[in-house]
């Protein structure tokens, strides 16, 4: 089972897809009839309304949404963007392709950016902080917002893993200058491939729209108010829009089911010394897609992971900076991790394994139990699914409890 939304794919998605097939209107631009909006248009308006965001632009992936956010905010060569060393490789890759310089920062026991470490890494070239809401839970948005304001920085939210989560009542992705979401099958809800970008600022929206649609102004007009840009084609196709609309209507249900299963499993595993749950900056607002335990000792985390046929988070592929060979390449003079730049250009910044000792340590002490997202790549090879019944949840809780008893005594 990939993400929780995937488990709820059904006849609603199928009916929308059939409507697209009946008309063969496969792009978001319906020929001739402005009163008959495409699914992609409908999706954007649905998202704006339910998240109280001024603007949504649907795109073809979460990576495209991040690139769009960076371009919309005019981030490029010469700028530094602070990003956590624990995130999916796409967060860092999108910064590379914007031409800016990624600056890695530590995460704390929330597995999200440590604001104090972010502050230490600010230089006169820093333009933005990319806050990644990892494993379904919000970053410390109060501290990061204050920091961004104090230093005149842009805050970009990577909400790929936390669609629908909130922080103190505000939906993630609407707090910073822009939010980027993914709809790939491992995320909270899915359209197969897809993503979207949110902003409350009209100018940022115009630039974002133009970037993903070959420089057209919003509404696909030739002229508009704002900046002329070269864009790319990162548009969402209407078959994906059809699925996305049906999944969006299910978001609240998917989240409440995921949270219910998580609570049921977590409540059945008694607390004990030597381990605690990951710090949550808003326990009620997180998605609940993963239940993360942080151990005092690396050896205990390793023993528990091995007994559960999973691994500690330090070994999650392409989610820990030390598991990204591209970063090692970027550190080498003459290295070529991207066709648009050479290695060795990142003067003074280290990307090599060992450069974030606190991140390495906390990930080595962490084990994630799958709730709604089962992805061994993410390091969550053991757990339940959003469709698990009471018996399956109880069985998983028993295995987890007895493993913890066996290892921690
Ligand atoms: C999945 C993910 C992305 C990229 O999304 P795609 O739709 O796969 O391009 C970006 N950032 C994070 C944190 C992710 O988990």
């Amino acid at each position: 089972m990939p993400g929780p939304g995937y488990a709820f794919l059904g006849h609603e998605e199928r009916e929308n897809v059939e409507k697209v097939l009946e008309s063969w209107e496969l792009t978001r631009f319906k020929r001739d009839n402005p009163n008959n909006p495409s699914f992609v248009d409908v999706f954007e308006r649905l998202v704006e309304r339910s998240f109280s965001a001024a603007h949504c632009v649907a795109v073809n992936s979460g990576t495209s949404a991040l690139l769009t956010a960076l371009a919309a905010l005019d981030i490029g060569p010469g700028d530094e963007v602070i990003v956590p060393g624990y995130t999916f490789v796409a967060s860092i890759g999108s910064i590379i392709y914007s031409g800016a310089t990624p600056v890695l920062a530590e995460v704390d026991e929330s597995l999200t950016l440590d604001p104090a470490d972010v502050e230490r890494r600010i230089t006169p070239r820093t333009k933005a902080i990319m806050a990644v809401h990892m494993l379904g839970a919000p970053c410390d948005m109060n501290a990061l917002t204050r920091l961004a304001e104090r230093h005149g920085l842009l805050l970009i939210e990577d909400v790929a893993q936390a669609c629908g989560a909130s922080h103190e009542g505000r939906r993630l992705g609407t707090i910073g200058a822009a939010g980027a979401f993914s709809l790939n099958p491992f995320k909270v809800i899915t359209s197969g491939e897809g993503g979207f970008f949110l902003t409350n600022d009209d100018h940022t929206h115009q630039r974002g729209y133009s970037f993903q649609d070959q420089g057209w102004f919003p509404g696909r007009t030739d002229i508009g108010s704002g900046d002329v840009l070269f864009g790319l084609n990162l548009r969402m196709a209407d078959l994906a829009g059809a699925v996305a609309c049906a999944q969006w209507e299910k978001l609240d249900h998917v989240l409440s089911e995921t949270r219910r299963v998580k609570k049921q499993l977590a409540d059945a595993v008694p607390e004990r010394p030597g381990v605690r749950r990951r710090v949550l900056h808003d326990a009620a607002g997180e998605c609940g897609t993963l239940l993360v335990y942080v151990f005092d000792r690396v050896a205990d985390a390793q023993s528990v992971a091995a007994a559960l046929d999973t691994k500690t988070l330090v070994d999650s592929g392409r989610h820990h900076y030390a598991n990204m060979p591209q970063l090692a390449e970027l550190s080498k003079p003459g290295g070529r991790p991207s066709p648009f730049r050479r290695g060795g250009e990142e003067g003074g910044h280290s990307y090599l394994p060992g450069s974030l000792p606190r991140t390495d340590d906390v990930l080595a002490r962490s084990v994630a139990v799958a709730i709604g997202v089962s992805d061994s790549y993410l390091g969550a090879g053991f757990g339940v699914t959003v469709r698990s019944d009471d018996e399956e949840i109880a069985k998983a809780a028993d295995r987890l409890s007895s493993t913890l008893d066996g290892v921690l005594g």
Side-chain angles (χ1 to χ4, degrees):
M1 187 69 64
Y6 191 92
F8 289 91
L9 287 169
H11 66 89
E12 298 85 356
E13 287 79 1
R14 181 189 298 266
E15 278 159 25
N16 282 359
V17 167
E18 278 166 4
K19 280 184 201 145
V20 176
L21 297 180
E22 275 155 25
S23 67
W24 292 120
E25 298 265 20
L26 298 172
T27 77
R28 67 171 298 166
F29 306 112
K30 291 228 168 183
R31 294 184 290 269
D32 336 315
N33 189 351
N35 299 321
N36 182 19
S38 63
F39 279 107
V40 175
D41 288 321
V42 171
F43 176 71
E44 290 176 344
R45 306 297 82 78
L46 275 174
V47 176
E48 286 164 0
R49 218 172 320 122
S50 55
F51 277 16
S52 306
H55 302 286
C56 172
V57 179
V59 291
N60 57 11
S61 76
T63 309
S64 295
L66 285 167
L67 275 175
T68 300
L70 290 159
L73 295 169
D74 199 18
I75 292 167
D79 298 329
E80 292 175 356
V81 179
I82 299 176
V83 60
Y86 177 51
T87 182
F88 184 51
V89 65
S91 316
I92 299 168
S94 65
I95 298 168
I96 291 290
Y97 279 95
S98 77
T101 300
V103 173
L104 303 182
E106 301 269 20
V107 299
D108 56 26
E109 287 202 4
S110 70
L111 306 186
T112 63
L113 276 177
D114 170 3
D117 191 67
V118 171
E119 184 153 36
R120 282 192 284 276
R121 292 173 198 271
I122 294 171
T123 75
R125 296 171 75 179
T126 308
K127 182 138 176 198
I129 301 167
M130 187 181 282
V132 185
H133 304 297
M134 276 303 273
L135 309 182
C139 298
D140 184 348
M141 291 308 284
N142 291 334
L144 292 173
T145 303
R146 271 198 307 273
L147 202 57
E149 278 169 5
R150 188 144 27 89
H151 293 272
L153 306 176
L154 297 162
L155 189 56
I156 300 170
E157 296 179 74
D158 180 341
V159 205
Q161 297 190 9
C163 180
S166 55
H167 182 258
E168 297 182 359
R170 295 168 77 191
R171 296 281 193 172
L172 301 186
T174 66
I175 302 169
F181 295 72
S182 167
L183 298 170
N184 91 25
F186 290 95
K187 312 302 185 183
V188 178
I189 55 169
T190 184
S191 62
E193 301 283 4
F196 59 95
F197 147 85
L198 296 183
T199 183
N200 287 318
D201 180 72
D202 295 345
H203 184 229
T204 306
H205 168 244
Q206 178 267 311
R207 289 181 58 97
Y209 183 88
S210 297
F211 182 71
Q212 58 86 53
D213 190 17
Q214 312 284 20
W216 293 95
F217 283 91
R220 230 192 191 193
T221 57
D222 235 338
I223 39 167
S225 64
D227 297 338
V228 173
L229 291 185
F230 280 108
L232 299 169
N233 174 3
L234 308 175
R235 298 185 300 264
M236 179 182 273
D238 217 37
L239 284 168
V243 178
C245 280
Q247 284 269 292
W248 193 264
E249 302 285 3
K250 299 177 183 181
L251 177 61
D252 287 344
H253 182 62
V254 168
L255 286 173
S256 64
E257 283 300 284
T258 308
R259 288 167 176 154
R260 179 185 62 73
V261 171
K262 177 176 176 180
K263 184 173 183 335
Q264 198 172 328
L265 178 62
D267 287 353
V269 180
E271 292 194 26
R272 64 202 82 210
V275 63
R276 64 217 152 268
R277 304 234 208 106
R278 157 199 196 180
V279 170
L280 290 172
H281 293 297
D282 184 339
E286 70 134 353
C287 295
T289 39
L290 294 134
L291 170 61
V292 183
Y293 288 96
V294 183
F295 292 80
D296 287 347
R297 292 167 8 110
V298 172
D300 291 343
Q302 281 170 343
S303 303
V304 167
L308 297 174
D309 301 313
T310 184
K311 46 197 175 182
T312 60
L313 291 181
V314 80
D315 290 322
S316 41
R318 299 284 199 277
H319 287 85
H320 173 217
Y321 75 101
N323 298 335
M324 298 176 196
Q326 301 90 337
L327 283 174
E329 197 63 20
L330 187 65
S331 308
K332 283 187 206 156
R336 299 198 59 179
S338 137
F340 300 138
R341 62 205 284 159
R342 303 290 173 259
E345 287 175 359
E346 312 301 326
H349 299 289
S350 176
Y351 305 101
L352 294 173
S355 52
L356 298 176
R358 285 175 42 228
T359 298
D360 301 348
D361 174 60
V362 68
L363 295 180
R365 291 186 288 109
S366 298
V367 175
V369 175
I371 304 293
V373 173
S374 318
D375 182 1
S376 55
Y377 196 57
L378 201 61
F382 166 81
V384 292
T385 78
V386 72
R387 294 292 210 186
S388 295
D389 60 21
D390 290 352
E391 199 185 324
E392 286 162 341
I393 297 168
K395 223 173 109 195
D398 283 349
R399 181 161 168 213
L400 184 55
S401 288
S402 57
T403 303
L404 293 174
D405 287 341
V407 171
L408 296 171

